[in-house]
Amino acid sequence: MTHPFALDGQTALVTGSASGLGFEMAMALAQAGAHVLVNGRHAERLGAAVTAIIRKGGKAEPFLLDVFDAEAVDAAMAKAPPIHILVNNAGARDRRAFLDMEDADFRRLVEMDLLAPAHLTRQVARGMVARKAGGRIINITSIAGPLSRAGDAAYTTAKGGLEALTRALAADLGPHGITVNAIAPGYMLTAANEAQSRDQTLREWLSRRTSLGRWGHPEEVAGAAVFLASPAASYITGQILAVDGGYMAHF
């Protein structure tokens, strides 16, 4: 009997996976047996990420693509190998007060964090449906989807939309054997959050605000991705899995 978390024979595309959360998920999926397409916009960084995965015994190759460019996505998908697992991880953030943003700024973030993954998902899901072999789609949302704070309106709007899209696509694609779930990370020690992580006031507040009393590490998101991509999660769809140290459960 196959191990319930084994991904042998599966091809996974993880967007924005040259570093941070995306890289850790790509590494974990590869170690579970998947052949991973490591995605990004910079060839040198992609090469380094692929090399690191292969050195750990995984199977990976670079997938140079700007997933925010719809035309480039269409061209790449026409040539891409069959994809069994899609992780929509790439995104952007603009931490500005709502009144300081112009319509174009707001629209740009929604396009990058919601419309771009929706477009890529449509292209990948068409292939999954045509092959009649099911598939796994995992959207990386955020605790800033169901929750909000000042100075993050566009990001919260986009991630809330991606969470809703996850449920909607679970309904649309379920009849084809495709599961659609999301992972909502909490405060993670990524390069993007480096300055925040050094803020002693924030560290002390987070130690009180989360059940586990600390920041999360990028590799702690990776296990959730492997689980949702695996046969062990075959009857789970339309769900949002918070990996947040108990942030949303604790008050």
Side-chain angles (χ1 to χ4, degrees), residues 48-185:
V50 168
T51 298
I53 291 172
I54 292 174
R55 282 177 178 167
K56 289 285 189 178
K59 294 174 287 186
E61 64 179 281
F63 196 68
L64 187 64
L65 171 66
D66 181 354
V67 295
F68 303 131
D69 182 336
E71 291 185 1
V73 166
D74 293 345
M77 288 300 103
K79 302 176 182 178
I83 294 169
H84 309 94
I85 302 161
L86 170 63
V87 182
N88 283 309
N89 169 72
R93 198 160 195 165
D94 189 340
R95 288 189 173 97
R96 281 188 289 167
F98 177 69
L99 297 180
D100 293 336
M101 299 183 76
E102 301 297 331
D103 284 350
D105 302 322
F106 202 96
R107 185 178 298 110
R108 175 176 175 274
L109 205 72
V110 172
E111 287 176 349
M112 296 175 78
D113 287 347
L114 175 57
L115 300 184
H119 181 78
L120 176 59
T121 297
R122 184 183 301 110
Q123 298 299 82
V124 172
R126 282 173 174 158
M128 291 177 175
V129 170
R131 291 191 301 274
K132 298 181 180 180
R136 300 282 190 270
I137 296 168
I138 303 169
N139 295 320
I140 306 305
T141 57
S142 171
I143 58 172
L147 303 177
S148 60
R149 62 182 301 175
D152 219 9
Y155 184 78
T156 300
T157 299
K159 290 299 187 179
L162 189 57
E163 186 174 297
L165 181 67
T166 298
R167 291 188 293 270
L169 293 184
D172 263 20
L173 300 176
H176 301 285
I178 300 168
T179 67
V180 188
N181 293 289
I183 299 171

Side-chain angles (χ1 to χ4, degrees), residues 4-7 25 28-30 32 138 183 221-231 233:
F5 299 105
L7 300 176
M25 288 187 286
L29 291 168
I138 303 169
I183 299 171
V221 174
V226 172
F227 168 62
L228 291 174
S230 76

